[in-house]
Amino acid sequence: MHRFSALKYLINEERMQTKQKIGEFNAYNFGSIISQNGGDFCMYPHQQQTPIIIGDMMGHGITALKESFAIKGFLSGCLATPIPLTDVLKTLNQALYEQRLCKNSLVTLLIGFIENNTLHWFNAGHPAPCVITTQGKLLQLSGTDPLLGLSDDHQYQHYRYDLSDVAQILLFTDGWLDNQKMSEVDQIIAKLTHDNLHSEEFAYALWQASQVKLSAEIDDASLIVINKH
């Protein structure tokens, strides 16, 4: 992403922020997934499990954006059928392996949903979710499988994490962490927790405090903050 484009969406961030309801949770979306000026994308399919899909196309600008439309179109077609979420990555992986779409690009993809107070996800090369505990501690979860399209026989795992002691869930693209360390994000969260910020206030303040630095060459950057109503 060019610096001018980054400056443009940082200035207009409040206007572009969107909120999605997923059951008893809210998801607050920030960055390139809203401005749609690169390869980051997200989807909220209308399914019983109310899944969240976040992805990141290789590359930048209009080329990556066009490729992301192809992936979203394929996923929309899949999810319009009775296909279970457990099979979505396998189906997309087969299409990419056979080069039926996005022949010259790579994509990372995470499909997540919340059920019975448990976070579930399937992950193809995307950063694993983070959670923030009720005590304000940041935890990086483990659960990432290989990129899509590299092998036609890979089985994508079903990962789970109990949310009993979780206040916030963070989904993001790798650009969000390109110019900052996880320890720096942890310090931001500690301050926001100390300031007693919750729900929408917390989500907005986290994004504002953790935005990428304009002085560096930056990738598309996106963040989804999920918490209870």
Side-chain angles (χ1 to χ4, degrees):
M1 182 191 299
H2 296 296
R3 292 173 187 169
F4 175 78
S5 299
L7 180 60
K8 182 178 177 182
Y9 84 69
L10 294 186
I11 290 173
N12 293 304
E13 188 57 49
E14 185 170 5
R15 176 180 62 81
M16 293 185 293
Q17 178 191 359
T18 63
K19 179 174 75 172
Q20 295 278 346
K21 289 186 177 181
I22 46 173
E24 60 178 336
F25 291 82
N26 284 327
Y28 302 93
N29 310 298
F30 303 94
S32 300
I33 54 176
I34 303 304
S35 57
Q36 295 191 18
N37 52 8
D40 290 1
F41 62 92
C42 71
M43 300 171 65
Y44 291 87
H46 296 292
Q47 285 202 331
Q48 183 177 358
Q49 291 169 304
T50 58
I52 302 173
I53 299 174
I54 182 170
D56 183 2
M57 295 299 309
M58 179 184 70
H60 304 278
I62 191 66
T63 302
L65 180 62
K66 287 180 179 178
E67 297 280 24
S68 75
F69 287 158
I71 295 293
K72 288 196 291 184
F74 186 92
L75 289 170
S76 294
C78 279
L79 295 168
T81 71
I83 185 173
L85 288 179
T86 52
D87 292 344
V88 172
L89 284 184
K90 179 181 178 181
T91 304
L92 178 57
N93 180 66
Q94 189 67 33
L96 289 168
Y97 181 78
E98 295 172 357
Q99 297 191 330
R100 286 186 271 139
L101 72 163
C102 300
K103 295 181 181 179
N104 299 311
S105 190
L106 295 172
V107 60
T108 69
L109 195 75
L110 185 146
I111 302 173
F113 65 95
I114 299 171
E115 189 174 77
N116 297 325
N117 208 39
T118 298
L119 174 65
H120 302 254
W121 72 97
F122 309 92
N123 192 351
H126 201 82
C130 287
V131 296
I132 304 171
T133 69
T134 52
Q135 290 77 39
K137 184 177 180 180
L138 177 67
L139 301 176
Q140 172 82 63
L141 304 183
S142 59
T144 303
D145 286 331
L147 286 168
L148 294 158
L150 301 181
S151 170
D152 65 345
D153 61 357
H154 186 76
Q155 300 298 315
Y156 288 92
Q157 301 298 309
H158 185 166
Y159 297 100
R160 301 170 177 83
Y161 190 82
D162 180 68
L163 299 176
S164 298
D165 191 40
V166 171
Q168 322 271 347
I169 302 165
L170 308 182
L171 305 180
F172 50 92
T173 59
D174 59 3
W176 184 59
L177 291 177
D178 272 357
N179 288 281
Q180 60 191 338
K181 298 177 181 178
M182 193 65 74
S183 59
E184 294 175 309
V185 177
D186 199 16
Q187 292 173 7
I188 294 169
I189 289 169
K191 182 181 184 305
L192 298 181
T193 303
H194 180 266
D195 292 343
N196 202 31
L197 296 182
H198 301 284
S199 301
E200 187 169 4
E201 277 188 331
F202 182 96
Y204 188 82
L206 176 59
W207 171 249
Q208 289 294 326
S210 65
Q211 288 180 61
V212 290
K213 300 176 178 65
L214 292 177
S215 59
E217 290 296 329
I218 60 174
D219 193 4
D220 302 325
S222 301
L223 173 68
I224 302 175
V225 182
I226 304 169
N227 51 43
K228 287 193 175 181
H229 296 170

